[in-house]
């Protein structure tokens, strides 16, 4: 009886995580669009080292976007799960992907900020 009080609705939490990862995937996509736009409008001969770092950040943002989009899909599936034990295991597995994609996004942010001009 006391264990029912501590029970967590993994399906409801999965739906909320799906929304969160979807929003973060949107931020990663917006950052990717920003980096690509900056790369296309800049002169490649003028700042060769910045171009290389911009390429690195574009790859990192693409990987983060892909990871977060897949995590959003996985959490959406988790949101419809009926089996509580299976939902708990799925939640842990999806957490690994979410953490990896989130760290990729932070690393991409670091790369983008390192290229920004200092004033």
């Amino acid at each position: 009886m006391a264990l029912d009080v501590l029970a967590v609705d993994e399906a409801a939490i999965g739906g909320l995580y799906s929304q969160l990862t979807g929003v973060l995937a949107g931020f990663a996509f917006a950052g990717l669009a920003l980096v690509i736009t900056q790369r296309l409008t800049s002169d490649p001969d003028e700042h060769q080292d910045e171009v290389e770092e911009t390429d690195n950040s574009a790859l990192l943002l693409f990987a983060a976007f892909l990871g977060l989009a897949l995590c959003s899909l996985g959490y959406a599936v988790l949101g419809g799960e009926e089996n509580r034990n299976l939902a708990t295991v799925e939640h842990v597995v999806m957490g690994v992907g979410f953490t990896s994609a989130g760290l990729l996004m932070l690393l991409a942010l670091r790369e983008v900020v390192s290229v920004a001009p200092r004033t």
Side-chain angles (χ1 to χ4, degrees):
M1 199 162 159
L3 293 177
D4 290 338
V5 174
L6 300 176
V8 175
D9 187 7
E10 296 286 341
I13 292 173
L16 295 173
Y17 270 114
S18 177
Q19 291 177 7
L20 175 65
T21 54
V23 168
L24 289 176
F27 283 132
F29 185 77
L32 182 62
L34 178 73
V35 167
I36 290 173
T37 301
Q38 188 271 338
R39 173 80 162 85
L40 292 175
T41 58
S42 68
D43 184 20
D45 297 330
E46 189 175 323
H47 304 287
Q48 186 62 30
D49 54 340
E50 289 180 8
V51 169
E52 185 177 315
E53 289 185 20
T54 303
D55 290 345
N56 291 341
S57 60
L59 287 173
L60 288 169
L61 282 168
F62 178 73
F65 168 71
L66 189 63
L68 288 167
L70 290 175
C71 281
S72 181
L73 178 64
Y75 278 124
V77 169
L78 175 67
E81 186 64 53
E82 297 291 327
N83 186 347
R84 198 161 119 188
N85 292 330
L86 186 60
T88 303
V89 172
E90 287 177 0
H91 196 95
V92 171
V93 171
M94 291 306 304
V96 172
F98 180 42
T99 303
S100 300
L103 289 175
L104 275 173
M105 195 163 164
L106 289 175
L107 183 60
L109 180 65
R110 183 213 168 273
E111 289 289 322
V112 168
V113 168
S114 71
V115 175
R118 304 199 194 315
T119 58

